[in-house]
Amino acid sequence: DPRVAANAGEARKLQVIDFRDRFYRQPRAYFDAIEEQRSGGIVDQSEGQVVDHHFRTPPVNRSQLYQYTDIEDSVVQRIIAETDCVERITWRNGWFTTAALRDIRERMAVRGEVMRRLQQASLLSLPGPSESLALDGGQCSASAGEQDRPAGAVPPGEPRGERGGGDERRGQEAAQNAENAQGNDERQ
C-alpha cells in the first residue's frame, strides 16, 4: 500500500506529477497556432508527435503526466533522492515536501524551455543550397530540384514575382514603377 509510511521510500518514486508547461500559457503559443492554421499547417501541435513519458523532449500537451521514476533528468532524480519523506502523506504533495515539488517543477519548466529552443534551432539550421549541392557530389540536375519542390513554390535564390501565374501582374507593376522612377531621374 503506497499510503503506508513503511512503503514511502518506494511509493514516492512511483508518484505521478501533472506537469503544466508554461509555454502553452503564453500568448505566442496561441498566436503561433492561429498562424499555422491560416497558413494551412497543422492546427494541433501534438498531432503527429509521440508523447515522451521520460521527459527527453519538450511536452506536446498543455498538461502532461510523468512518473517520477521515469523522468530522465539528473537534477530531478537528485532532488528526489536527497529529499526526505514527509511524516504523513498528503493528497496534494504525496510523500514530497512542497519545496521539493516546487524545485522539481521549476527544473522541468527550465529544461522544457531549453529543449524547445534547441528543437527550434535545429529546425532553422536546415542545409542551404550550397550545402545540398555538396551532399549530392556537386552534381545538380534541374529535374531533381523540381521534384522536391512543391507545386508553385519559388526556387531558392529566385526573387518572388518573377515566375508566371498570379505573380505576372505584380511583375508588370514593378516594371512600370521602375520605368517611372527612371523617367523621373532623367528629368531631374
Side-chain angles (χ1 to χ4, degrees):
D1 185 11
R3 296 170 291 178
V4 177
N7 300 332
E10 185 180 346
R12 71 186 185 140
K13 293 177 187 175
L14 300 176
Q15 284 180 215
V16 174
I17 184 172
D18 183 4
F19 178 66
R20 297 178 187 218
D21 195 357
R22 294 177 192 165
F23 173 77
Y24 293 105
R25 286 191 242 165
Q26 298 173 2
R28 77 172 181 205
Y30 171 77
F31 290 116
D32 287 347
I34 296 295
E35 186 62 32
E36 284 282 324
Q37 183 180 16
R38 287 184 181 160
S39 66
I42 297 173
V43 178
D44 183 9
Q45 290 183 347
S46 64
E47 186 175 311
Q49 295 180 355
V50 178
V51 175
D52 175 27
H53 297 286
H54 299 282
F55 203 63
R56 290 183 226 133
T57 60
V60 294
N61 299 313
R62 185 178 190 159
S63 174
Q64 201 158 309
L65 301 175
Y66 295 98
Q67 196 168 23
Y68 289 113
T69 192
D70 290 338
I71 298 172
E72 293 181 5
D73 183 73
S74 59
V75 175
V76 171
Q77 292 304 320
R78 183 177 47 83
I79 293 169
I80 292 169
E82 292 176 357
T83 303
D84 293 329
C85 292
V86 293
E87 290 180 23
R88 183 174 219 153
I89 190 171
T90 63
W91 176 84
R92 184 175 180 88
N93 299 336
W95 288 107
F96 289 102
T97 63
T98 304
L101 285 180
R102 184 188 61 238
D103 292 345
I104 290 170
R105 287 181 192 281
E106 184 62 30
R107 169 60 183 180
M108 291 177 74
V110 169
R111 182 160 183 230
E113 181 65 24
V114 168
M115 288 189 294
R116 188 167 279 107
R117 288 184 184 187
L118 288 173
Q119 195 175 52
Q120 289 172 347
S122 69
L123 291 175
L124 294 175
S125 64
L126 297 174
S130 61
E131 292 173 313
S132 63
L133 288 176
L135 293 176
D136 66 358
Q139 298 175 0
C140 180
S141 62
S143 61
E146 294 293 326
Q147 288 174 344
D148 295 340
R149 191 175 308 115
V154 178
E158 184 176 318
R160 292 189 162 275
E162 293 188 7
R163 293 181 61 87
D167 291 335
E168 282 183 34
R169 184 173 44 94
R170 281 190 234 126
Q172 290 171 354
E173 289 173 1
Q176 188 176 10
N177 289 339
E179 288 174 14
N180 291 341
Q182 191 177 25
N184 289 339
D185 289 341
E186 290 174 2
R187 282 184 244 149
Q188 291 177 356

